[in-house]
Every structure is written in C-alpha cells, then in structure tokens.
Amino acid sequence: MSLPLADASRAIDPSLDLAKEITRLKKERNAIILAHYYQEGEIQDLADFLGDSLALAQAAKKADADVICFAGVHFMAETAKILNPKRTVVVPDMRAGCSLADGCPADKFAAWRAMHPDAVSITYINCSAEVKALSDIICTSSNAEKIVASIPADKTILFAPDKNLGRYLEKKTGRKMVHWQGSCIVHETFSERKLIALTIRHPEAEVIAHPECEEPLLRHAHFIGSTTALLNYAISSPKREFIVATEAGILHQMQKKAPDKVFIPAPPEANCACNDCPYMKMNTLEKLYLSLRDLTPALEMPTELLERARLPIDRMLALS
Ligand code: 13P
Ligand code: SF4
C-alpha cells in the first residue's frame, strides 16, 4: 500500500510554533477545540474542553462558537454536528474512524432490527449517524445503566454495537439483551495473563477499567467506568497506584491531575502499542492546525439525516 503524497497546498512553514498558531487561529476563527481523553497530550493541552463521549456531546450542543474543531474520532464529530448543525464542525483527519462504528453498517443493523420488531434498540454512541437514525435511544458508557433502566421491563433490548459493554450492562442491570457482535480493537487487546502478572508485582495497585474491555479482564477491576469516571476515581481515591485498562491517552490527564500518583497502562497481549487507538492517534498537532487554518475537512450531512439522528440522541440527553 502506498501512502498518499503530501498536498503542497497543505504545507506548513516549519518555523511555526504550532501551539501558538492554534491559539491564535482559535481567536481569529471564533473556534473552540473539543478533545477526547484519548488524544495526544499536546492536543489535550490545547483543548477548550476535554471529556468523555457524553460530556463532549453536551459541550457540543451548547457551544456558541462559530467553529467547533473536534479532536476525536468521526462519530464524535458527527454527533457534534447533529447537536449543533449551524456551526462549522472541522476535524483534523476525516479518516479517524472507530472499529465499533465500522463493524456496524446501517443496512445490516436495519436487517437485525427488522428481525426483532417488538424490541427497543439501545445503541452505543460509537456508531454512524445512519445507525443512530435507526435506533430508539443512544447511550454512552457513562449513562448506559440509566438508559437501560428507562426501558419498560417487558421489552426486549437490542444492544449494539459493543458486545462487551452490552454484557457488562446485562450483568449490572439484570436485563436480558440481544447483542450485536462488535468490539473495540483497543479494549479487547488487554491481556488477562499479563494483567495478573502485573498485579502480583504491584499488589497495592487498583485495577481500573473501561467497560469496553472483555469480561475476563473486567473481573479483575476494582472500578469500572467511562473515561471521565476513571479519571475522577483515580483523582479522589486514597490509593496511590493504578493499573489503567483503557486507551493510553487518558494517562496524560491522570498524571496531570494527580502528579503524585503512579499510573501503569494495562499491558496488551502482543508486544505492541495496541493500547493506543490507531484512529484517535491519526490526529496530530499539524492536522489540527491545518483544520483551523483552512476550515477543512468540515463535516457536511444531509438535513434529513441530521434530524433523524438527533431524535435518539436527544432522548439520551433528556435522561442524562
Ligand atoms: P468514553 O470516553 O465515553 O468513556 O468512551 C471511550 C471510547 O472508547 C470512545 O471511543
Ligand atoms: Fe473506537 Fe475503540 Fe478507538 Fe474508542 S478506542 S474510538 S471505541 S476503536
């Protein structure tokens, strides 16, 4: 596979101080940067707002800047556009997808729903706008239990696309669900075997994990929650050492907010950096700068899709 050649019109003067330029462009464009915790530290440090998927959606909805620059992945920027369609939403790299969203194409999702006509579908926010538009209600990792509890007990729940989050919710809430068989390539990479070895070496450490992790790994967790919940737990816990089973970007914020504590990334099975999300890490300072300088790539979506996808997100926000 050959890489695309650099576009000369997108060249950057190498002498530029990008952090300074980004700050200048934010003012000039009346723009804000919303960033997820899985971004590189240097991007997190430039963000006006950092958060988990729910907090980012809420921030996008109330943003009154002309431009929202979304440093995250495609489905997050799409959600921002759905919730605030009048704003220009730019992304550093339009190709920054998500294995959960990619593994749940709208036509297959529609066929799956049609097989369960009386069921209610709760869909994790990590999906495309088309799939959102076909869902009854959206959830994130921080409000999923509340959303499940809002569904009448006699209704079958279809949960998509993350089978790991779905199984975790099933166990937590006692509600039976029909699961879409998707997973996150980052969270399924952690090795239970290596985690056990690590807990023996660090007997004082608490294991904290994201519910996208597989069940055998979650069994070792002292605390399970969204990225924001993990961060808050690590800050407020009296413990000093944590083994963190989620994407490694969050460690930047943990270290910043609790500099005296020790954060150890949970080990992947292979000797790789697979606990870095390859999609989240497509965003770089250079691309962030270009997106603000050129206001491209910008998200464009048909009005009809925006409106249909907004309904199940609004239902979620009303319960959050
Ligand atoms: P939260 O930040 O909402 O916990 O989501 C994690 C994630 O994987 C986002 O893609
Ligand atoms: Fe998707 Fe997993 Fe990356 Fe989150 S960490 S964006 S769920 S692939």
Side-chain angles (χ1 to χ4, degrees):
M1 190 186 79
S2 60
L3 291 169
L5 294 172
D7 174 356
S9 69
R10 306 268 286 166
I12 300 175
D13 174 353
S15 68
L16 282 185
D17 176 336
L18 286 183
K20 236 190 204 159
E21 281 301 299
I22 288 169
T23 309
R24 183 186 64 77
L25 282 168
K26 274 200 302 186
K27 265 202 203 114
E28 195 176 300
R29 304 280 191 214
N30 187 24
I32 52 163
I33 298 175
L34 304 185
H36 189 265
Y37 293 120
Y38 295 165
Q39 293 298 286
E40 295 287 1
E42 57 190 9
I43 294 182
Q44 293 189 34
D45 292 345
L46 286 168
D48 297 281
F49 186 86
L50 266 172
D52 64 7
S53 308
L54 177 63
L56 286 166
Q58 288 165 327
K61 186 174 178 173
K62 62 173 196 236
D64 59 5
D66 293 329
V67 178
I68 298 172
C69 176
F70 209 108
V73 289
H74 190 267
F75 78 80
M76 294 178 169
E78 223 176 31
T79 306
K81 184 72 183 172
I82 293 164
L83 289 170
N84 211 335
K86 290 207 169 72
R87 313 292 167 197
T88 300
V89 177
V90 292
V91 292
D93 193 322
M94 198 59 99
R95 297 164 306 168
C98 167
S99 66
L100 281 168
D102 295 349
C104 189
D107 57 338
K108 294 212 167 64
F109 180 80
W112 185 61
R113 275 220 70 174
M115 282 162 60
H116 307 273
D118 297 324
V120 173
S121 77
I122 303 180
T123 307
Y124 192 31
I125 197 161
N126 297 37
C127 65
S128 66
E130 286 84 356
V131 168
K132 286 186 176 74
L134 292 164
S135 305
D136 290 316
I137 188 161
I138 301 303
C139 76
T140 73
S141 55
S142 56
N143 62 16
E145 282 176 57
K146 220 185 250 178
I147 304 294
V148 171
S150 75
I151 309 301
D154 61 333
K155 282 285 179 191
T156 301
I157 295 175
L158 295 186
F159 192 86
D162 187 3
K163 62 178 182 190
N164 294 315
L165 175 61
R167 284 202 195 114
Y168 167 73
L169 288 171
E170 205 166 50
K171 209 168 150 192
K172 268 272 18 222
T173 64
R175 287 293 294 269
K176 279 269 157 284
M177 295 176 187
V178 181
H179 301 283
W180 183 273
Q181 294 301 306
S183 60
C184 161
I185 51 165
V186 178
H187 289 87
E188 68 179 5
T189 201
F190 299 118
S191 159
E192 186 191 12
R193 183 179 64 85
K194 288 189 181 174
L195 177 70
I196 292 169
L198 202 57
T199 56
I200 294 168
R201 283 172 185 269
H202 299 269
E204 291 301 316
E206 277 195 331
V207 178
I208 57 175
H210 195 279
E212 286 176 17
C213 292
E214 290 177 332
E215 220 273 318
L217 201 114
L218 290 181
R219 266 190 258 133
H220 299 275
H222 299 91
F223 180 78
I224 298 169
S226 77
T227 50
T228 298
L230 295 179
L231 178 63
N232 291 340
Y233 181 83
I235 294 168
S236 59
S237 165
K239 290 277 178 182
R240 314 235 38 94
E241 242 185 313
F242 302 87
I243 299 171
V244 184
T246 191
E247 212 269 359
I250 188 90
L251 270 76
H252 175 72
Q253 222 39 238
M254 288 177 170
Q255 212 63 80
K256 224 170 139 172
K257 294 267 162 61
D260 302 335
K261 296 188 179 183
V262 176
F263 299 101
I264 308 160
E269 185 53 52
N271 291 324
C272 59
C274 350
N275 52 355
D276 270 323
C277 172
Y279 306 104
M280 287 278 183
K281 285 345 198 249
M282 278 181 158
N283 297 332
T284 61
L285 216 53
E286 286 75 13
K287 292 181 198 171
L288 185 70
Y289 163 75
L290 287 171
S291 69
L292 281 168
R293 187 191 75 180
D294 304 341
L295 293 185
T296 172
L299 262 141
E300 296 298 342
M301 295 165 71
T303 313
E304 170 270 337
L305 177 60
L306 283 169
E307 280 164 8
R308 283 194 302 126
R310 183 168 179 138
L311 215 70
I313 304 176
D314 276 345
R315 285 191 194 120
M316 167 188 82
L317 291 176
L319 288 170
S320 300

